[in-house]
Amino acid sequence: VIAFSESGQVLANHYHDFPQIFPQPGWVEHDANTIFETALDALRCVVEQLSDAPPAAIGLTNQRETTVVWDRASGEPLHNAIVWQCRRTSDACQQLQSHSLDVKSRTGLFIDPYFSATKLAWLLDHIPSGRERAAAGEICFGTIDSWFLWKLTNGRVHATEPSNASRTLLFNIHD
């Protein structure tokens, strides 16, 4: 977390590591609650370093391809977040290559496990009753920005913005 003055001078900063989870070779996960709590703790540390004036605005940069699925009612993650560099969906991406040009024309992206779509499909197939719960509206999906927004608003806002949505392989960049 970094706080800047209006002129761009760094006023305060703080950084925390958090553990990565490697369930098997090529797979990378993070505990979504740990990501949130670590960022929130770093934010608190920066705010404490500032003078008595509260921040005028807060911005968020994030791992735009890291995928989180959580229960809409409880707000609890249903699985560890699947991190951008995870390659567990490589085979699924290979099976979708015949759709590559269509996907590229709609999303601007090539089919690759780096992006969220195949991670989401994997999660829905590995969370008990995942697809059924998603169809019933019981599950939320998002990248880290939408997860943070959900948490910071106590579940009142489930949203993202175009630059994050565009990294999911699910966003039509034209309309």
Side-chain angles (χ1 to χ4, degrees), residues 77-148:
L78 298 174
H79 192 279
N80 285 331
I82 300 181
V83 179
W84 59 271
Q85 74 245 46
C86 185
R87 304 303 290 175
R88 79 183 65 196
T89 64
S90 294
D91 289 344
C93 289
Q94 280 302 113
Q95 293 173 5
L96 294 170
Q97 286 308 307
S98 64
H99 303 282
S100 189
L101 292 178
D102 183 43
V103 170
K104 174 99 167 66
S105 71
R106 293 171 194 255
T107 69
L109 303 171
F110 291 105
I111 297 172
D112 192 278
Y114 180 78
F115 306 112
S116 302
T118 56
K119 292 175 188 149
L120 174 59
W122 187 94
L123 285 162
L124 293 177
D125 288 340
H126 289 83
I127 293 168
S129 303
R131 290 191 181 272
E132 293 82 7
R133 293 186 67 200
E138 298 173 7
I139 293 177
C140 291
F141 147 75
T143 55
I144 296 299
D145 67 307
S146 59
W147 166 243
F148 276 25

Side-chain angles (χ1 to χ4, degrees), residues 34 40 43 61 80 97 104 122 130 142 166:
T34 299
L40 199 56
L43 177 60
T61 185
N80 285 331
Q97 286 308 307
K104 174 99 167 66
W122 187 94
S166 72

Side-chain angles (χ1 to χ4, degrees), residues 2-167:
I2 304 172
F4 296 98
S5 69
E6 288 183 29
S7 65
Q9 177 187 12
V10 174
L11 300 175
N13 63 68
H14 196 82
Y15 176 85
H16 286 301
D17 285 322
F18 59 88
Q20 301 213 46
I21 302 163
F22 303 98
Q24 58 183 287
W27 291 26
V28 187
E29 299 177 357
H30 292 159
D31 179 300
N33 283 321
T34 299
I35 296 171
F36 180 76
E37 291 302 326
T38 301
L40 199 56
D41 185 54
L43 177 60
R44 286 183 187 116
C45 290
V46 165
V47 170
E48 288 173 5
Q49 294 175 51
L50 299 174
S51 63
D52 293 332
I58 297 174
L60 173 66
T61 185
N62 69 100
Q63 300 174 359
R64 296 186 305 169
E65 293 82 10
T66 296
T67 302
V68 184
V69 173
W70 63 96
D71 182 275
R72 185 178 293 277
S74 71
E76 284 302 308
L78 298 174
H79 192 279
N80 285 331
I82 300 181
V83 179
W84 59 271
Q85 74 245 46
C86 185
R87 304 303 290 175
R88 79 183 65 196
T89 64
S90 294
D91 289 344
C93 289
Q94 280 302 113
Q95 293 173 5
L96 294 170
Q97 286 308 307
S98 64
H99 303 282
S100 189
L101 292 178
D102 183 43
V103 170
K104 174 99 167 66
S105 71
R106 293 171 194 255
T107 69
L109 303 171
F110 291 105
I111 297 172
D112 192 278
Y114 180 78
F115 306 112
S116 302
T118 56
K119 292 175 188 149
L120 174 59
W122 187 94
L123 285 162
L124 293 177
D125 288 340
H126 289 83
I127 293 168
S129 303
R131 290 191 181 272
E132 293 82 7
R133 293 186 67 200
E138 298 173 7
I139 293 177
C140 291
F141 147 75
T143 55
I144 296 299
D145 67 307
S146 59
W147 166 243
F148 276 25
L149 187 57
W150 176 269
K151 296 282 286 178
L152 291 169
T153 63
N154 293 314
R156 290 187 307 272
V157 179
H158 180 216
T160 190
E161 52 76 52
S163 75
N164 282 297
S166 72
R167 306 304 288 174

